[in-house]
Structure formats: C-alpha cells, structure tokens
Amino acid sequence: MQEVDGLKMVKEFAEEMENMLGRKMKSVKFDYYNSMMINTLDEDGNSVELGGEFPLEENEHFNKLPVSTQQSVIQVPTNVYNKDTDILNGVFMSEALNEVFTSNFEKDPTLTWQYFGSSTGFFRLYPGIKWTPDENGVVTFDARNRNWYIQAATSPKDIIIAVDISGSMKGLRLTIAKHTINTILDTLGENDFVNVIAYSDYVRYVEPCFKGTLVQADLDNREHFKLLVEELQVKGEGKVKKAIKESFKILNEVSEGRGSLCNQAIMLITDGAMEDFQQVFEEFNWPERKVRVFTYLIGRELTFADNVKWIACNNKGYYTHISTLADVQENVMEYLHVLSRPMVINHEHDIIWTEAYMDSVLFNTQAESLLLMTSVAMPVFSKKEETLSHGILLGVVGTDVPLKELMRLAPRYKLGVHGYAFLNTNNGYILSHPDLRPLYKDGKKLKPKPNYNSVDLSEVEWEDTEDALRTAMVKGESGTISLDVRATVEKGKRVVFLKNEYFYTTINETPFSLGIVLTKGHGKNVFIGNVSVEEGKDFQISICKIQIICLTYCETDIDPHHRKLTQFQAVVQYLTGKEPDLECDERLLQHTLFDAVVTAPMEAYWTALLLNASGIDGGVETAFLGTRSGLMRIIRYVGAEKRVAKKFLSPTDKENIFTLDHFPVWYRRAAENPSGRFLYYVPIEDSTQGSLHPAIHIIQTMRFYTLFRISCSLSLFLMKYITNNYMFLGKIDGSVMSQLLKMGMFKRVLLYDYQAMCKVNPHYASGARPLLSVSTVLSICFVANKKSKGDILQPCDTEYPSFVYEPSIKETNSMIKCGRCQKMFVINQIPDSNLLLVVIQADCDCSRQYVPITMEPKEVKYILKTPAKSVKCDRMRSQKIRRRPESCHAYHPQENAKDCGGAAAISLSIMLFLACLSVSALIRR
C-alpha cells in the first residue's frame, strides 16, 4: 500500500505534457501541388494545370484520410488567384518546408497536421491531401482568418471600433460597414479586448452596458456585438471628432483587468470625414502615437479620401478603401500586418498556443470534425536588411495537438474512481475537463455549442465559490486546495457527495495549467499488486475483450508498424516478447495482471454455473466483473437474440465500459456503496426508451484490501413490472414525494449547469450568455418554414434538483389529506440494498392539491431591472482574473510608419476642408 503524493503527481504529469508540447514547438521552428487539382484529369485524360499524379494512401494516424506523408500540398482560397506572382514566389520560397515537415514527422511520429499560412493567402499543408470544395465548388478556407495565424502574427490588442451611422451611410454603405465590423471582430481572440461605438450627431455604445470600458473579445462577446451591430440604423450628421475623443478616453483609462495593456488601436469606419480633427490627435495621441488609427473608407465615392488617409498615416495606422462586400476581407487583414511590424523588426519568434477548438476543414466525417484540439504556431518574417523597417511578415507556421492525446499523459487509473485531470488557459477557460460538454443535439445531429471554447473553469468547478482554485491556476501557481463537492453520475441524475483535493501546477512555456483531483477514500492511496510483468508473460488474459476504446496499455502511435494493433494485440505482443520495442505502461500492466490472477476463480465459478442447468435463475442474462485497471470478465447466459439489455456492455455502450478518461457508471456507483450491500440500478438509457422490461443491474462491491476495490456485478432482468416502472416517484405522485421531503426521508439538493442549452423565448433573452450567435440568427431566417423560433437552442444557465435518501430512516408511514379523501402510504427499506418498498393507497387522487415534483432543469433568468445597471449588466461587464501573455510587441523606433496605404506624405487639404464645411452648412439647412 502506497500513499499518493498529489502535488508530486501533478508536477510529473505536467513535465510529461511539457515534453510532449515541447516536441510540437520544435516542429514549428525550422513542386507546387494545388490540393484542389491533384489527381484530377481534363477531358483528354491529362492532368490539369497545377495538378498531376499525387499518391495518396489511407492513414490510420490521420483519421483514416488518404494522405501523402512524402509531400505537402498547397491550398488557395477561391477569391485568391492561384497563379498570382506573389503566390508563385511564396510557394517556391516555402518549398523547403517539405523536407522540414517530413523530418519532423520522422522524429516525432505523434505529430499530426503541420502547416504554413502565407500572408499572401496560400496554405501549405503536410501531409498532402486532396482538398474538397463545398457544394458550390468554392473553397472559403483562408489561413489568415484562423485564430492560430492571427495570434501568432500580432501581440494582444485593445480595439475600439467606431462606425459612422450618419444619413449618408444608408443602403449598401451600411451593409458594407456592418460586414467590416464583423470581419474585424473575427480577427480578435480571448487575449484581446474590444468595444464598438456608433456615431452621428452624438456617440452611442452599441451595448450601453459596456459604456466607457473594454470587454474581453471572447466568443460570447464577439457574437453579442455582431447581433447589436445588425440593428444599427442611419440618422443625422457624422461627427467624427466626438467619436475619436470618446475612443481615446476609453483607451486612456484601460486598467490591468480591463485590457491587454499592449497594442491599442481605433478602427474608424466611415464614408468621409469633414471636420478639423487634428486638434484631437494633438491632445490625445501626439507625439508618442501610442494608439494606432486604422481607417476604412466605405463606398465608391472618393471625395473625402485624402482626409481619411491623413488620419491613418499620421497615427501609425493604415488606410483602405472598401467599395464592395468582396473587398472587405482583404482590406481588413491589412491591419494585422501593420501590428506585426514591431515584432518582425525585433526578430522575435514568439510561440503561441490557441484555446481549444474544433475544425471541420480537414475531416470527412462528423465524429472526426468534433475532436477538440489546440494549435501551436510561430510567425515567419523577412530578415532582409533593406526591408527591415517595413517589418514584412511572410506568414505563420504551426501544427495541431489533439487534446485527447495530451490527456493520455494523465491516465485516469492513477487518479482513482472519482479522480480526474483537467487543463485550463491563462484566461481561465477550459481546455480539457471530463465535465466539459462542447456538443449539443440539434435534431439527430451533434453540433458544437456556440460558446464551447469559452467555458470558464468556475462554470465547471462551480463549488469553488470563492474562485480560489481558478485564481491560483490562472496566475500560474502550484499548490493544493480542498473542496467539498456535489458530483453527479448518470448524466446528472444522481448526486454523490465527495471531499476532493485539487493539485495544480503550470506547464512551462505554454499558457496552460494542469490540475488533478484526488477524492478522499478513492485515490489518496494505491494498491500495488505483487505480480510482475515478467511473471505475467505466460498468463493468458482477456484485456479489453469487448471494448473498442479502452485504457492505453501500450503506445501504438509512435512506430508506424504498430498503428494497426489494437490494445489487446499490443499487450499480447509485448508480453510474449514479439514486440519488445513497444512502449507499454508497466505499472498498468502490473495492475491488470494482478487483477487477472486474483479474479480468475470467478470465471471458473461462472462457467460451472453455466454447465449446471439448475445453477442459473431465470432472468439472469449476464455476469460481469470489472477492476480499476480496466480488466473485465464477462459471461453471457442468454444469447444476443433473447437478451433484453442488448446494448449493455456492447462496444456502443460508452457509459458502462472503461475508456481512456472514464470509469463505468456502475463502477462509480458501486464505489460509494457500503461493502456487503447490493446496489440495484437501471441505466438511464433503459429507463427512457419506453421498454416494459428494462434491465436491473445488481452490483456488489467486494473489498479484498484496504482502499482497493474490485466490483463484481450481476445483471438481473425481471419480466413483470407495474405500469409506471422506473419513473421518478415525484413525477408519479407529487403528494407522497412532498410528504417524504417534509418528513426528512429525502432531501432536495440543488445543482447547477452552466453549459446548458435552452429553447429561445421570443419575448425574453437570457443574460447568462450573451444572446444568439449571428449564424444562429441566420439559421432562424432560413428554416423559418420548417422550425419555429421556440425550437432554436441557445446557451443558458439552469438549475435542477436531485433527491438524496436519508439512510437512518428505515421505515415510515403517513396519511395525506386530499380534499374529500385521504391517501395512506407505507415505506420500508429492503435490507442490504438501496431499494425501498413503497405501498400507496391508489383510490385517492391528490393531483389537484399536489403538482408533480420533477427533476427537470429550469433556466436561471438574469432579468434586466431598473436602473439599467442590474444583475444582467453586472454579469456581462464582469471580468474574472486572467494572466496576460508575457510577450508584447507594440512599438519599435525603426518602424516605417509612412507605409500606411496612401501616399508617402499626406497633408490635410485646406481646400477640401473648406469644401467639407460648405457641404456641412448645406446639410444643416
């Protein structure tokens, strides 16, 4: 018996993760095949231009996609000319990456996709694949829009978007302006801060709750701004001076918790500037010019172009002219190249890691596209001395890291039945956590939730009411915290009270922190079996006999020759000495071999019962045994065609088998069951499918050693039930449940879900999550004839009850008065079990006096009260503690600020200014 040192364990896990992530970081230091054209023939049977024969082979390591590990390919968006001189030169320049990518993959076979996104628009991807356009034949993917590109290309930024909504901006101009705002918002991430103001005769905040401050540019806030921008209407005369003054006031008052404290910029979107605004810049920005001003001239009219250019060029910004919707994307991206100049001139190769995300671009199936991953990326720039002052960014190189693979380094079996590991970012957002639920069901399809990658640690570990755990981890500290928690099993239907100890530390050279949880009684001590791997080589066992996904006993992903081996095959090959080069977890194998030796008599006993016709009671379908090492012994007494629980312990039964990060439900429940007692339960799936004969699982926990348990379970299926089988008592009879709550036989425990999805109420918008995303709003328009607005789901907070039995009350009875009749009931506990026998008088209907008590969740509504700054507004403005990225490149004295999109030297036109005043006077008349 050994005591587990949680802090030592979390640091060991973090070191292993640091080594793994370090290998990924090394991979980003370092003939033109168009991915659309490869293996494509023209009408004459010849390869099309930029195509050619490109051997592809299905590869298990790359999600079974046909790939070429010998060559990379080039992808170019449809809106970029693929034979443009800049594209061809860039492709030629980056050809050397083929050898680098291939070498990286040979050195580290766990690498997945490696890529280079060019500032000119092309995307080099390794291994090579054939890119599939959408149903319209269009490729919209542009690497320069991806979060990994934007974060690597620029330092964190504070942005004020000021949009002109004066009368002249009506029609197409307003549409272009809105699209420009949305595109700018899409270039921001969780390390950036933003606000959006609109101006005409006066300045207004599109979100009044955010007046005078900046908010984190996370997904929720960006989508919220997009919705509000869509509601903007034109009116009045444009007073740009007021808007610029207000923008500077916000940026000048930025504090530690309300901004990035790095790059600062104003994005001015207008169709013209007619005022004398030089004084504003002299007062707020000159001579240091710490705030850059980027200007976007909207519409075909160029009358005021010189003034708009002057604003940008005299404030270290960039001027662009946007006359059509098609111009927006390319012109908005220019500001990123300007912000990257100081970093490029400094020759700083800052490595960035992204938040968790899902990417459907490279995958053919839905299951593959819903995998969470993070990316590591680094900028690539020109080192030519003659162009140094221009700070020319060539692109960004990066690679993906599936989070599932990273979490394999903190195996669940080391942490106990209720223990787990989790990762979070410097902003407090969850990177990986067993309670993170990034998907929701829309009809029959699984889809990512709009806010799936901005779930805060405090919304999952919500028992940490003081945010002590979150604060310590975000600050990058190491330590331990103890908490009493209400954990749930069976998808939140049952509550378990645990005493958790949290151990946490930072992962060096990344913005991530790692935490592990050990539960008192399950994880603080570990039993080490006395059967060595050498002794077990001759012992025949069935590991992962029926599971598709089981614990990772051996690393089969390192050597390409091992990738086709299942875990069971890999273990056998290793134990028999046929594959001595396999890297296997000897401690886990030792546990498994020991468990196999100890539990061997059970299988012999079951077999004897099977051979003895009188030894099996009717209705018994399956006997099974499971241990903490993932070993399972199973015997079926009934053929598949006659089994009631056809799914139970099948490869598709994810709830009841051992997986990489999951102990089965029956195992977790048995762990909390007193030794010697039988646990009866019906899986949620069986009880909700409407079957008249659901399966009862009878489970007994046998403790052979202190703090070491093996669960041995029988599945018993009874064929005769009353009509309301396995429904919640409160739903069947609210009167009896109400009385039991009053008598103390059951107590109500309130639980919270901060990742819920609720139906949209047309008359109410929850402030728990900032409204719907733009894509959701558009989908409402498109499916209006098929789906009502009440069927659309949006993120929300919910609370729901769970009910816990008080075991000290063995029996009780009572009389309930219901109008003209009385209802009597009697309850007795069945010894050595978790069952209660309930007898209720059936001829007295109390449904009018007592409503059913359900476990259905209810949305927590943060209603806007008077005055305007209420609970809803406070929640939206709230900013939790975060850790700013260490690197910041906002200024360099050698920067060539004259490269600003206009002429080399621009002065404010006096004649144009007088003309503007004349027009202004006419408008007032």
Side-chain angles (χ1 to χ4, degrees), residues 18 91 117 336 409 411 485 540 738 761 790:
E18 179 185 334
V91 169
L336 295 174
L409 300 177
V485 302
Q540 298 299 313
S738 295
N761 186 335

Short mmCIF file of all heavy atoms in Angstrom, two decimals, residues 18 91 117 336 409 411 485 540 738 761 790:
data_model
loop_
_atom_site.label_atom_id
_atom_site.label_comp_id
_atom_site.label_asym_id
_atom_site.label_seq_id
_atom_site.Cartn_x
_atom_site.Cartn_y
_atom_site.Cartn_z
N GLU A 18 4.73 18.91 -20.78
CA GLU A 18 5.67 19.93 -21.25
C GLU A 18 6.62 19.35 -22.29
O GLU A 18 6.90 19.97 -23.32
CB GLU A 18 6.47 20.46 -20.05
CG GLU A 18 7.50 21.53 -20.42
CD GLU A 18 8.34 21.93 -19.23
OE1 GLU A 18 7.85 21.81 -18.09
OE2 GLU A 18 9.50 22.33 -19.45
N VAL A 91 5.15 30.20 -52.84
CA VAL A 91 5.15 28.74 -52.90
C VAL A 91 6.56 28.22 -53.12
O VAL A 91 7.01 27.26 -52.47
CB VAL A 91 4.20 28.24 -54.01
CG1 VAL A 91 4.40 26.76 -54.26
CG2 VAL A 91 2.75 28.53 -53.64
N GLY A 117 0.82 29.07 -43.15
CA GLY A 117 -0.13 30.00 -43.74
C GLY A 117 0.60 31.25 -44.19
O GLY A 117 1.24 31.93 -43.39
N LEU A 336 -3.52 43.70 -39.51
CA LEU A 336 -2.71 42.70 -38.81
C LEU A 336 -1.24 42.79 -39.19
O LEU A 336 -0.35 42.64 -38.36
CB LEU A 336 -3.25 41.30 -39.09
CG LEU A 336 -4.67 41.01 -38.56
CD1 LEU A 336 -5.14 39.64 -39.03
CD2 LEU A 336 -4.70 41.08 -37.04
N LEU A 409 -1.49 11.47 -21.06
CA LEU A 409 -0.33 11.54 -20.18
C LEU A 409 -0.73 11.66 -18.71
O LEU A 409 0.13 11.61 -17.83
CB LEU A 409 0.56 12.72 -20.58
CG LEU A 409 1.10 12.68 -22.01
CD1 LEU A 409 1.90 13.93 -22.31
CD2 LEU A 409 1.96 11.43 -22.22
N PRO A 411 -3.23 9.49 -16.99
CA PRO A 411 -4.22 8.40 -17.07
C PRO A 411 -5.14 8.35 -15.86
O PRO A 411 -4.72 8.58 -14.72
CB PRO A 411 -3.36 7.14 -17.17
CG PRO A 411 -2.03 7.53 -16.62
CD PRO A 411 -1.86 8.98 -16.94
N VAL A 485 -17.59 18.79 -2.61
CA VAL A 485 -18.29 18.98 -3.87
C VAL A 485 -19.48 18.03 -3.97
O VAL A 485 -19.52 16.97 -3.35
CB VAL A 485 -17.37 18.77 -5.09
CG1 VAL A 485 -16.19 19.70 -5.04
CG2 VAL A 485 -16.89 17.33 -5.17
N GLN A 540 -2.52 -16.10 -19.64
CA GLN A 540 -3.44 -15.71 -20.72
C GLN A 540 -4.62 -14.95 -20.12
O GLN A 540 -5.35 -15.49 -19.28
CB GLN A 540 -3.95 -16.96 -21.47
CG GLN A 540 -2.84 -17.74 -22.16
CD GLN A 540 -2.13 -16.89 -23.20
OE1 GLN A 540 -2.76 -16.24 -24.01
NE2 GLN A 540 -0.80 -16.90 -23.16
N SER A 738 -43.82 14.97 -1.73
CA SER A 738 -43.85 16.19 -0.91
C SER A 738 -43.83 15.84 0.58
O SER A 738 -43.13 16.48 1.37
CB SER A 738 -45.10 17.02 -1.23
OG SER A 738 -45.07 17.49 -2.55
N ASN A 761 -36.86 31.96 -26.14
CA ASN A 761 -38.15 32.57 -25.85
C ASN A 761 -38.23 33.87 -26.64
O ASN A 761 -37.43 34.77 -26.44
CB ASN A 761 -38.26 32.86 -24.35
CG ASN A 761 -39.63 33.37 -23.95
OD1 ASN A 761 -40.35 33.95 -24.77
ND2 ASN A 761 -39.99 33.15 -22.69
N GLY A 790 -39.15 28.82 -31.26
CA GLY A 790 -39.11 28.12 -29.98
C GLY A 790 -38.33 26.83 -30.02
O GLY A 790 -38.01 26.25 -28.98
#
